[in-house]
């Protein structure tokens, strides 16, 4: 009686609330309050790659998100690569985790670099999608978001391929083969058959 000990935020008498805090400092938290966001970084049309940037409030052991408008072929590098994550792509889905239980530490930077074979839409978007999630090693789901878009409008070549190199020659043929460009005949008509 007359003591000064009180229940802390963890429900412990005179305890240290930091001992029961989750990765984001929430007493008795499960990590779900940790913010986690994804966005696009550098897009390289000639190298067929795009960076995925991250900002994690806590250590992340797994992630899944969606990228539309690209024919994805794989992923490599970034923090996910540095920490031994296996990152896979299938359709529009990007999935990353570690077979050894490693985590990407809280912080920000390049999460991974996606590779693609072609741009399939005028706009490329990133989202959490229907089943997207960012989780910690205990399976707690972070308060995650993924947003942003890349516009490819005006980047089509004459055949409709984004960032393609096909051009229309003087005879009206659209292709990327310069060896079959038409020539002028002796009267100056492109593709004509007049000869001297």
């Amino acid at each position: 009686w007359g003591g000064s000990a009180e229940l802390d935020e963890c429900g412990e008498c005179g305890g240290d609330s930091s001992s029961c805090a989750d990765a984001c400092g929430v007493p008795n938290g499960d990590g779900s309050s940790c913010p986690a966001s994804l966005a696009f970084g550098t897009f390289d049309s000639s190298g067929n790659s795009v960076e995925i940037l991250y900002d994690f409030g806590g250590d992340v052991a797994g992630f899944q998100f969606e990228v539309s408008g690209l024919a994805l072929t794989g992923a490599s590098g970034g923090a996910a690569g540095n920490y031994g994550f296996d990152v896979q792509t299938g359709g529009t889905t990007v999935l990353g985790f570690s077979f050894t239980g490693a985590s990407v530490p809280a912080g920000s930077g390049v999460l991974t670099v996606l590779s693609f074979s072609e741009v399939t839409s005028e706009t490329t978007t990133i989202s959490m999608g229907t089943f997207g999630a960012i989780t910690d090693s205990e399976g707690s789901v972070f308060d995650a978001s993924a947003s942003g878009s890349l516009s490819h409008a005006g980047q089509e070549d004459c055949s409709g391929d984004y960032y393609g190199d096909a051009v229309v020659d003087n005879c009206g043929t659209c292709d990327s083969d310069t060896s079959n460009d038409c020539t002028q005949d002796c009267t100056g008509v492109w593709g004509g058959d007049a000869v001297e």
Side-chain angles (χ1 to χ4, degrees):
W1 291 100
S4 62
E6 297 178 357
L7 289 177
D8 65 13
E9 293 174 310
C10 299
E12 297 177 2
C13 181
D16 176 10
S17 63
S18 65
S19 65
C20 72
D22 65 11
C24 292
V26 177
N28 291 319
D30 61 2
S32 61
S33 64
C34 293
S37 63
L38 300 173
F40 287 124
T42 302
F43 176 81
D44 181 0
S45 62
S46 61
N48 287 11
S49 66
V50 61
E51 293 176 336
I52 301 299
L53 305 180
Y54 73 96
D55 189 0
F56 294 158
D59 296 351
V60 168
F63 56 82
Q64 180 173 319
F65 58 93
E66 303 288 319
V67 173
S68 65
L70 299 174
L72 299 175
T73 57
S76 62
N82 293 341
Y83 289 94
F85 274 47
D86 180 39
V87 182
Q88 303 172 2
T89 61
T92 61
T93 302
V94 180
L95 172 68
F97 60 92
S98 170
F99 285 109
T100 63
S103 293
V104 173
S108 59
V110 176
L111 178 63
T112 191
V113 180
L114 301 179
S115 55
F116 59 91
S117 59
E118 66 177 314
V119 176
T120 60
S121 176
E122 186 175 290
T123 304
T124 295
T125 60
I126 183 173
S127 69
M128 292 308 294
T130 304
F131 301 107
I134 296 176
T135 61
D136 65 14
S137 60
E138 302 299 319
S140 299
V141 180
F142 286 46
D143 181 13
S145 65
S147 61
S149 63
L150 302 169
S151 175
H152 311 291
Q155 301 299 327
E156 306 95 331
D157 66 9
C158 62
S159 66
D161 291 336
Y162 293 100
Y163 307 100
D165 57 2
V167 294
V168 178
D169 66 20
N170 289 309
C171 292
T173 301
C174 170
D175 62 28
S176 56
D177 183 1
T178 58
S179 66
N180 67 2
D181 283 349
C182 65
T183 58
Q184 290 177 304
D185 66 9
C186 62
T187 65
V189 175
W190 287 98
D193 57 4
V195 293
E196 291 183 354

